[in-house]
Amino acid sequence: MEQLPKKTQRTSVRYGMLALVFVNVVINYLDRSNISVAGATISKDLGLSSVELGLIFSAFGWTYALLQIPGGLIADRFGPRVLYAFCLITWSIATVGQGFVRGFASLFSLRLATGAFEAPSYPINNRIVTSWFPDHERASAIALYVSGQFIGLAFLTPVLVNVQYYAGWKGLFIGTGLVGLIWGVVWYLFYRDPLDHPRVNDAELDYIEEGGGLFRGKKSGTNQPSAWSWKNLKQVFSSRTLWGVYIGQFAVNATLWFFLTWFPTYLVTYRGMDFIKSGYLASVPFLAACAGLLLSGFVSDSLVKRGRSVGMARKTPIIIGLLLSVSIIGANYTNDTTFIIFFLALAFFGSGMALISWVFVSILSPKHLIGLTGGVFNFMGNLASIVVPIVIGYLAKGGNFQPALVFIGALGFIGACSYIFLVGKVERVKIGEDEMEGELADRL
């Protein structure tokens, strides 16, 4: 009797690529947040006021946010392997340079440079996940790689605090920068796109593509038509649904950037906690945010697999998370360290839940404008990295941090309302001929 050939077992190369992105995110956030660990000491050594420190905290965001749209276009045009390696190495050089600054101007300039070179990172992340993962695995994949920012900071914040304690804040910047330089080389050696990877088989490629993964026409080295045009930019700025997720992302990032900038200074300067002890306490909210993010991602994908609507499955965890982030205001009503950390952790847990919002870029973007839409989405969200540190600096300049926490909580509530009232039916935004066909069908 003739024996039937065995079905080829599907490879799982996509998870290895996701692991590389995870480490990128860890390093990315180390080099964003090392300034928060060093903030109180830098302020003292360089004689900075709370307003000047707020400007230093915000400097990264100025270039990072403003270059999101160019970063998205670059991510659409160039392969992640070379582009990410370039970004890792250049932002790490800028980080090392921060260990040699002598005043406000030089530190501010190098934080601007760090933000500029990190700008394409999240559009690249989104392109990688869109290429390597089918739709029904994408929220989980996003949750896993974004969790790198929380897992890394949760476990490494005490390490960073101790590095600064023994090597000073200058040693802290030099050390974190060198880690990124080394990893940039590792990334280049090991990352490949789906069509370029030697170990991925046809069964895995078919599985990804049949599930909505977009990697055809994305092979490294091929010339892609530019996504840039005023018409395309107008499209991604004119959709009410997209505006709903833009405002929501600003609110999510408002909480995030409080923790990435002012949080350690809040504990040490405004709550009088010991510097070393604050490093361990600071880990708790980051672990909570990681738990919220992972819970949200897996629950959201589970709801999709059970046949629930994409809108309900994706929006519900985000709305609940944003409402939970309002609880940060509770820290204003207690002097007990345990309760202060509890309210901050609960708020960051909620913010973590809402961070699967990147999945909307894959769901809503016109297929050929994923990078551009991701750039605009990240630009709008990361305006919070400029606004929040500066506003907090002004609100806290009299020595009272309570108005700052009310400000963060209020933004969380606005973000929840944005998802509830602005984000309507969740479907891909139509453009060009597709949009015209849709309008004609509606009229008929």
Side-chain angles (χ1 to χ4, degrees):
M1 183 176 178
E2 187 177 352
Q3 195 174 20
L4 294 174
K6 292 183 179 179
K7 186 178 180 180
T8 304
Q9 186 175 2
R10 187 173 67 226
T11 54
S12 300
V13 175
R14 62 192 182 281
Y15 297 116
M17 299 302 98
L18 185 63
L20 293 176
V21 175
F22 175 91
V23 178
N24 287 358
V25 172
V26 171
I27 294 172
N28 187 303
Y29 272 79
L30 281 180
D31 292 336
R32 295 185 195 197
S33 65
N34 49 17
I35 190 75
S36 70
V37 173
T41 308
I42 288 176
S43 180
K44 182 179 178 181
D45 287 355
L46 301 183
L48 304 177
S49 67
S50 68
V51 173
E52 289 173 321
L53 186 60
L55 288 168
I56 292 291
F57 284 156
S58 75
F60 172 96
W62 291 30
T63 48
Y64 183 80
L66 293 173
L67 293 176
Q68 281 308 296
I69 295 174
L73 292 168
I74 291 170
D76 273 337
R77 190 167 181 82
F78 297 100
R81 184 188 179 201
V82 173
L83 182 59
Y84 226 142
F86 172 80
C87 291
L88 277 159
I89 290 170
T90 50
W91 91 53
S92 297
I93 291 171
T95 300
V96 170
Q98 291 166 53
F100 298 92
V101 300
R102 295 186 177 181
F104 174 89
S106 55
L107 181 55
F108 187 84
S109 299
L110 285 169
R111 293 302 294 178
L112 289 174
T114 305
F117 291 125
E118 284 197 22
S121 57
Y122 263 69
I124 299 172
N125 292 343
N126 194 61
R127 172 177 166 174
I128 291 169
V129 170
T130 303
S131 297
W132 272 105
F133 286 86
D135 289 340
H136 63 274
E137 292 183 357
R138 204 164 290 155
S140 300
I142 291 171
L144 284 168
Y145 82 68
V146 175
S147 71
Q149 67 195 49
F150 301 125
I151 293 174
L153 294 176
F155 290 102
L156 293 177
T157 295
V159 175
L160 296 179
V161 167
N162 279 281
V163 167
Q164 179 177 310
Y165 183 78
Y166 291 105
W169 59 268
K170 295 187 176 184
L172 174 65
F173 286 120
I174 293 169
T176 52
L178 289 176
V179 169
L181 284 170
I182 295 168
W183 183 253
V185 176
V186 174
W187 167 265
Y188 182 79
L189 293 175
F190 288 98
Y191 178 79
R192 297 292 187 279
D193 284 335
L195 293 175
D196 294 326
H197 204 289
R199 291 193 295 108
V200 67
N201 65 10
D202 288 339
E204 184 174 11
L205 290 176
D206 290 342
Y207 172 75
I208 294 168
E209 188 169 29
E210 289 168 6
L214 304 175
F215 57 81
R216 299 290 177 185
K218 291 288 187 181
K219 185 172 181 178
S220 299
T222 60
N223 292 322
Q224 301 296 324
S226 174
W228 169 257
S229 73
W230 286 109
K231 180 181 178 181
N232 289 344
L233 187 63
K234 180 182 177 182
Q235 178 68 32
V236 297
F237 267 115
S238 61
S239 166
R240 170 180 167 171
T241 298
L242 289 178
W243 268 104
V245 297
Y246 296 157
I247 295 170
Q249 190 67 2
F250 181 93
V252 173
N253 279 357
T255 304
L256 174 63
W257 277 95
F258 161 71
F259 282 96
L260 291 180
T261 56
W262 279 100
F263 178 43
T265 301
Y266 167 68
L267 295 182
V268 174
T269 303
Y270 295 89
R271 287 296 190 172
M273 297 182 191
D274 176 77
F275 179 69
I276 296 294
K277 182 181 179 182
S278 72
Y280 291 96
L281 291 174
S283 296
V284 177
F286 286 107
L287 288 172
C290 180
L293 174 63
L294 294 175
L295 174 67
S296 181
F298 287 108
V299 167
S300 181
D301 274 351
S302 177
L303 290 171
V304 171
K305 291 174 184 177
R306 292 178 184 179
R308 301 297 177 88
S309 71
V310 173
M312 190 279 281
R314 301 311 193 195
K315 287 196 292 185
T316 302
I318 295 173
I319 292 168
I320 293 172
L322 284 164
L323 291 174
L324 282 175
S325 71
V326 180
S327 64
I328 196 170
I329 298 172
N332 284 339
Y333 299 96
T334 180
N335 290 317
D336 186 282
T337 299
T338 301
F339 281 105
I340 291 171
I341 297 300
F342 168 77
F343 282 117
L344 295 175
L346 181 60
F348 214 12
F349 173 85
S351 180
M353 286 185 66
L355 271 171
I356 64 162
S357 49
W358 262 99
V359 76
F360 281 104
V361 176
S362 299
I363 295 171
L364 300 174
S365 303
K367 288 185 178 181
H368 63 297
L369 296 178
I370 291 174
L372 177 61
T373 308
V376 173
F377 174 82
N378 216 20
F379 163 73
M380 298 299 290
N382 277 284
L383 288 176
S385 67
I386 303 172
V387 173
V388 169
I390 294 175
V391 171
I392 290 177
Y394 278 97
L395 292 175
K397 67 180 180 180
N400 181 7
F401 212 87
Q402 290 187 359
L405 296 187
V406 172
F407 169 66
I408 300 299
L411 289 176
F413 182 75
I414 292 170
C417 291
S418 178
Y419 270 96
I420 294 169
F421 298 111
L422 291 181
V423 179
K425 185 178 180 181
V426 176
E427 59 184 3
R428 193 172 299 280
V429 173
K430 294 178 181 179
I431 190 169
E433 293 181 2
D434 291 337
E435 185 180 40
M436 292 172 65
E437 290 174 5
E439 290 177 357
L440 179 61
D442 289 340
R443 289 173 186 172
L444 295 175

